[in-house]
Each structure stands twice: as structure tokens, then as C-alpha cells.
Amino acid sequence: MYVGPGDVLHLIKSGKARTRGDIQEETGMSRMTVAQRVDALLGAELIREAGADRASGGRRPTQLAFNLQHSCILAATVETTSSRVALTDLGGEILAVDQLDLAVSDGPEEVLGAITDAGRGLLKRTKTSPAKVSGVGISIPGPVDPHTLRPSQPPIMPGWDAYPVAEFLKDAFAAPVLVENDANAMAAGEYSAGFPGVSSLCLVKVSTGIGTGLVIHGQVYQGVDGGAGDIGHIRLPAFAELQCQCGSFGCLAAGASGGAIARNLTALGTSATSGRDVQRHLLAGDVEAMRLTHEAGRRLGEVMATVVCLFNPGVLLVAGDLASSHLIGGIRETLYPMSLPRATRNLDVRLASLGEDAGIRGLSWLLVNQVFSAPAVNARL
């Protein structure tokens, strides 16, 4: 079987090989062929020599490592009322970031135009050549068709359906573009940063809307056309009289999302229009915000019980503007009693740890896996 420089890079990136001797042992290639593959990667600056490994007798072998400074990634996370644009190295480390006060309802051209300007501004600020951008990633709060990379009937994104997001950004930056659902990007970020050995991870994001990201054996599961994890539109009898932004009645998001809690708070005399507003009230210790968030967690737990029994994840992370002890407490109250004990006996339920960096980290990780995959590097070298 042919083992090209890309396959060798994969061994180094994954930690399976740290030296030329390791590569020879893993692949069965001759010392000369290994030297040729390593020299090609060094010449392309995809790897670097990182010092000597521990000696086992004789000369100490030189360690090899993926060159995280080879190039950079531009990543943007679009939320309902704001966007975040960041420049990262190839390890997902954020080098520079910009916050934009944009509403997704402003439409794709205005939002993507502002993101493009912000991305160019970050490159200028960090004195980074546009040619050093290996990929551009963007996450949006709605389903994305994995075949076209276009939004697929997103309920809370008027004017975005089937919009050519990838083409817009590729024209601006002349680099490969990844478009992903926000919960998927966050799940990928949390997985890559803290759970690389976990076979299955589920992240539920509760902000103005509700969505779930699934990572199985290191791969984001998107479903046949990008609709996997869209639990915000599962119907609950308790919300039968409530109309969702998608137009249907009874959706989980209609009664348990940040937007729903914001409406209920406003009706009680506390002004709120989004999940981010609810978050501010939670941090301020507002009793009604805490009560409504806890109750939303209970309803969410009813739906997550089905998800857990079907998916049987090792880790369930709670993220988004409403991620708090009040929400996760409510989830646990209904999740465990309504799930099979076998489905939850090895389940780790906790708050996500990366906060608003999760989506950026996830997009960076996914793009690096795509742009620097073995087939891609073999084709280049």
C-alpha cells in the first residue's frame, strides 16, 4: 500500500509517530523512503524538528511535530444578535479576535460582508499575508446542507435559505471554506480540546434557539442533509399552544429556548429579547430568570432522554447563553428518571468549558483535518 507524505503527516499529527524510527515502524517503509517523505514535509514547512527524543542507547532520535505556525485559519461564528471573527493557528489557538454587533436577521450579504471586512482587518492587524490563510470557516444558527454548504431552511435566519455562503467567502479569501451548524462546530471544539478519546459526544446548545451537535468517533454527524441534532423542533404536548419561529406549534424551542424565556420574562416585567439578555439576568441573580431557566431545563431533559437512549453518548455537554447550574439542574431532574439506567450509567453530564471560543476552536479543528488530510497533502506534494 502506498504511503505518501500526507500519510506520514497524519501519523505525526495524531501522535502515533514522533521520530523517523517511529514512522518506519508504523509503515514498514525503508529508512530511505521515510527520509524522502520527511524531507518533503520539512521542505513544505508542514512539520518541524522539535528537539531530541529520550535516548534508548546510542544517538538520540530527533522528534518531529506538526508545524502549527505553517499557516492560519479564519473562523467566524454567527449568532442571532452578534458575530465573532477570529484568526487561529493550526492548533486552534486564537491569535486575534473581533466582536461584531450584527443580527442574523440583517441578511447574508450584510453579515458576510462585515465578517469579510473583519477578517481582513485581523490579517492586517497581525501583519499576516492573505496567502497564509489555509482555510475559512463559518458557523450559523441553522441547518447546513453538507453537500452544497448552503443554509437549509433555517427557521431563525430569514433570507439565508440556500444562500451561497461558501462561494461568497471563497471569493473574498481564495481559500477552502467550511460552513457548519453552530452546535456542530461547538461540539467539535469541545471534543478536540477536552475529549479526544471519547467515542461519542453530544452537545446541546441553548441560546435564542436550541440545537444539538453530535461527534461520533471523531467525526461530526450531520445526517443525510444536515438536519441531525435539530431537536429544537421536536414537538412537546406541554407547548402545543405555542407557535415556533419555524411556523409550527408545540416545538421545544417555542417554550424552552432563550427566546421563549426572554418573552416570558418580558411578560413578567423584566425586559429581555434574546438568550443573551436572559444570560445577563441569570448572572445578576434574577429569581424569575433562574426559575424559568430551571423549568426550561426540565422540558429539555424530557427530549434529551430520548436522545441519550438513542445515541448512548459518553459525554453530554450543555452550552450556549443559558448554560448554567439552573439549566443543567432542570435537565438532570427529567433526563435520568426518563432514561434507561443502562443508557446513563456511563454518561458524563456537565457544562461545556470553552464558552464562546468553542465554535471557533471547532471550525479551526475541522478545517485543519480537511485541508491537511492525508489525501489532500498527498495531492499537493
Side-chain angles (χ1 to χ4, degrees):
M1 183 180 70
Y2 174 76
V3 179
D7 302 284
V8 172
L9 178 63
H10 174 72
L11 290 173
I12 294 170
K13 280 174 75 262
S14 65
K16 292 180 179 178
R18 298 191 303 168
T19 67
R20 290 167 174 82
D22 292 341
I23 296 168
Q24 191 173 354
E25 185 176 335
E26 286 284 339
T27 63
M29 292 190 299
S30 69
R31 182 178 299 179
M32 181 178 293
T33 305
V34 168
Q36 290 172 345
R37 301 291 186 263
V38 170
D39 286 347
L41 293 171
L42 286 169
E45 299 183 345
L46 288 171
I47 63 172
R48 60 186 178 85
E49 294 184 328
D53 201 358
R54 182 176 299 175
S56 57
R59 184 178 176 182
R60 298 199 300 178
T62 301
Q63 284 190 320
L64 302 170
F66 182 42
N67 182 13
L68 302 182
Q69 282 70 51
H70 168 272
S71 50
C72 60
I73 299 292
L74 268 175
T77 52
V78 177
E79 302 287 347
T80 52
T81 59
S82 65
S83 293
R84 201 159 178 259
V85 185
L87 188 69
T88 81
D89 67 13
L90 299 185
E93 188 72 24
I94 295 176
L95 307 175
V97 66
D98 199 1
Q99 189 82 23
L100 307 178
D101 291 325
L102 289 167
V104 73
S105 59
D106 291 338
E109 292 189 6
E110 183 168 344
V111 171
L112 295 175
I115 286 173
T116 298
D117 291 342
R120 289 172 174 156
L122 292 178
L123 294 175
K124 186 175 181 180
R125 188 195 312 171
T126 58
K127 299 180 180 179
T128 302
S129 167
K132 293 286 283 184
V133 177
S134 283
V136 179
I138 183 170
S139 66
I140 62 172
V144 175
D145 188 315
H147 308 291
T148 65
L149 297 184
R150 297 187 178 191
S152 179
Q153 300 179 4
I156 62 173
M157 301 176 68
W160 286 77
D161 185 35
Y163 189 85
V165 175
E167 290 89 335
F168 187 108
L169 294 174
K170 190 168 185 178
D171 287 344
F173 294 104
V177 176
L178 172 71
V179 186
E180 187 55 272
N181 166 263
D182 56 351
N184 285 346
M186 293 176 72
E190 295 283 349
Y191 171 85
S192 65
F195 303 94
V198 172
S199 63
S200 52
L201 176 146
C202 175
L203 178 142
V204 57
K205 179 189 178 187
V206 188
S207 292
T208 298
I210 299 174
T212 300
L214 307 173
V215 179
I216 305 173
H217 297 300
Q219 301 290 322
V220 171
Y221 180 71
Q222 299 166 314
V224 67
D225 60 5
D230 199 8
I231 66 168
H233 302 286
I234 291 176
R235 313 288 175 78
L236 288 183
F239 300 146
E241 303 300 318
L242 301 178
Q243 186 171 21
C244 181
Q245 285 181 284
C246 73
S248 298
F249 285 83
C251 295
L252 175 66
S257 65
I261 295 173
R263 289 192 298 274
N264 291 336
L265 276 175
T266 300
L268 293 171
T270 300
S271 178
T273 60
S274 67
R276 186 149 292 188
D277 290 338
V278 176
Q279 181 187 58
R280 284 195 286 268
H281 290 305
L282 287 172
L283 293 173
D286 185 282
V287 174
E288 287 301 319
M290 290 187 279
R291 179 183 66 80
L292 290 170
T293 300
H294 181 83
E295 182 56 31
R298 286 177 52 81
R299 296 302 184 189
L300 181 57
E302 294 177 17
V303 173
M304 293 310 300
T306 300
V307 174
V308 165
C309 287
L310 177 67
F311 180 45
N312 191 210
V315 177
L316 171 59
L317 300 177
V318 181
D321 292 335
L322 268 66
S324 60
S325 59
H326 313 291
L327 184 71
I328 201 169
I331 290 172
R332 285 174 171 147
E333 281 187 19
T334 50
L335 169 65
Y336 286 103
M338 295 182 68
S339 302
L340 287 170
R342 186 188 57 75
T344 58
R345 63 185 175 185
N346 294 312
L347 178 64
D348 181 4
V349 182
R350 66 170 81 174
L351 293 172
S353 62
L354 295 181
E356 60 183 359
D357 288 345
I360 297 292
R361 291 284 298 267
L363 290 168
S364 180
W365 181 71
L366 290 168
L367 271 165
V368 168
N369 287 347
Q370 173 184 310
V371 174
F372 299 98
S373 67
V377 173
N378 284 340
R380 290 203 296 273
L381 300 183

